Amino acid sequence: LKHWAAVYTSAAVMCNRDSPDHCDLKCPPEAFDILTCIGSYGRAIMRLTNLGIDLVHKPGVMVSYSRHLVRHGIRVDEGDRIVWAWFMWDSVH
């Protein structure tokens, strides 16, 4: 690409995937990532473990946080879910 129209250096699409609690140490601590979730699922819980926060993650919700500093994970009980994750990696700038 000659021009990249986003401030983010990377994107990922994940389908119907639970994610155990983790941090992403390749991301710069000052960068805030954006996750957008869509689908036909009943209940999803996003855990921000070291902050002591559990979020009900409904379809259409966007969440932004530092994946480097905040330990996070998500669990979906049933249904179909797609997540778009926009993020930065130090090695890509």
Side-chain angles (χ1 to χ4, degrees), residues 12-86:
V13 177
M14 296 161 278
C15 298
N16 295 333
R17 182 174 176 254
D18 284 350
S19 175
D21 293 348
H22 65 284
C23 288
D24 297 299
L25 300 179
K26 290 184 178 180
C27 299
E30 66 276 4
F32 276 63
D33 304 341
I34 295 178
L35 278 75
T36 306
C37 204
I38 63 168
S40 58
Y41 56 92
R43 181 176 167 88
I45 302 295
M46 175 173 241
R47 299 192 67 197
L48 305 176
T49 311
N50 57 339
L51 299 179
I53 297 173
D54 288 348
L55 301 170
V56 176
H57 206 266
K58 296 181 179 182
V61 167
M62 295 178 80
V63 178
S64 182
Y65 57 92
S66 170
R67 295 183 333 152
H68 183 99
L69 299 175
V70 178
R71 190 167 175 80
H72 57 283
I74 192 160
R75 188 188 79 242
V76 180
D77 292 335
E78 61 183 48
D80 294 316
R81 177 177 71 99
I82 298 172
V83 176
W84 275 277
W86 294 90

